Amino acid sequence: MIADLDAALLAGFAAARGGFVDAFFVAVTWLGSLWLLLPLALLLAWRTPDRRRLALPGALLAAAALCHALKIGVDRPRPLLHEALVALPADASFPSAHAAQAMAFALLAGALLPAPWRRPALPLLLAAAALVGLSRLHLQVHWPSDVLAGWLLGAVVALAGLRLFRRPAA
């Protein structure tokens, strides 16, 4: 049943291909890349005044490590139902590391922002994380269940990071 739903959703994304949409998702997918997120996390950590500075880069690295361990353990092949718009990554498909990293970053960065910025920034960060996951489907490099698992893994890692590095008592 999940395989049928995965295939149907990928067919819908393949049907929506074309010019601007393809270029948009090729660009958006980089927002989930560790190459972009880790330097940004380190920059934000440098600007964080207390021990919470370790939360964002730590959670990002934890999400990446957990994803890659699961990829090795599960060893799910990449989808080959429709032609991918980018080169297929060499590693396994499950879970989507881009989706996990984007979600972990979005939740933690949003939570660590100063209060006046948190309310407007968090929905934008979460929208970016959602678009990263959707980009992986549009590009046909992940199954939808890979992306969902990545989002969930990223959220769990972010929540663990928030709990571990919560603001010290005043």
Side-chain angles (χ1 to χ4, degrees), residues 130-146:
L131 285 172
V132 166
L134 295 175
S135 77
R136 305 310 282 167
L137 302 177
H138 186 82
L139 299 176
Q140 300 287 318
V141 297
H142 276 290
W143 299 99
S145 53
D146 299 340

Side-chain angles (χ1 to χ4, degrees), residues 2 12 22 30 47 53 55 80-81 95 98 110 131 142 144 165 170:
I2 290 176
D22 293 354
W30 282 100
R47 301 288 300 159
R53 73 171 24 113
L80 299 173
L81 301 177
H98 276 71
L131 285 172
H142 276 290
F165 294 102

Side-chain angles (χ1 to χ4, degrees), residues 59-72:
L60 198 52
L61 291 172
L66 286 169
C67 279
H68 289 290
L70 283 167
K71 285 175 182 288
I72 292 167

Side-chain angles (χ1 to χ4, degrees), residues 44-57:
L44 291 172
W46 175 66
R47 301 288 300 159
T48 303
D50 53 36
R51 74 185 199 100
R52 294 175 303 139
R53 73 171 24 113
L54 302 174
L56 189 54

Side-chain angles (χ1 to χ4, degrees), residues 44-126:
L44 291 172
W46 175 66
R47 301 288 300 159
T48 303
D50 53 36
R51 74 185 199 100
R52 294 175 303 139
R53 73 171 24 113
L54 302 174
L56 189 54
L60 198 52
L61 291 172
L66 286 169
C67 279
H68 289 290
L70 283 167
K71 285 175 182 288
I72 292 167
V74 174
D75 198 29
R76 183 181 198 187
R78 299 276 176 173
L80 299 173
L81 301 177
H82 308 279
E83 184 180 349
L85 293 179
V86 296
L88 283 176
D91 60 354
S93 189
F94 181 89
S96 169
H98 276 71
Q101 292 160 183
M103 183 60 71
F105 183 90
L107 287 172
L108 266 169
L112 294 174
L113 285 171
W117 294 20
R118 197 172 302 138
R119 186 170 293 198
L122 188 56
L124 295 174
L125 290 164
L126 290 173

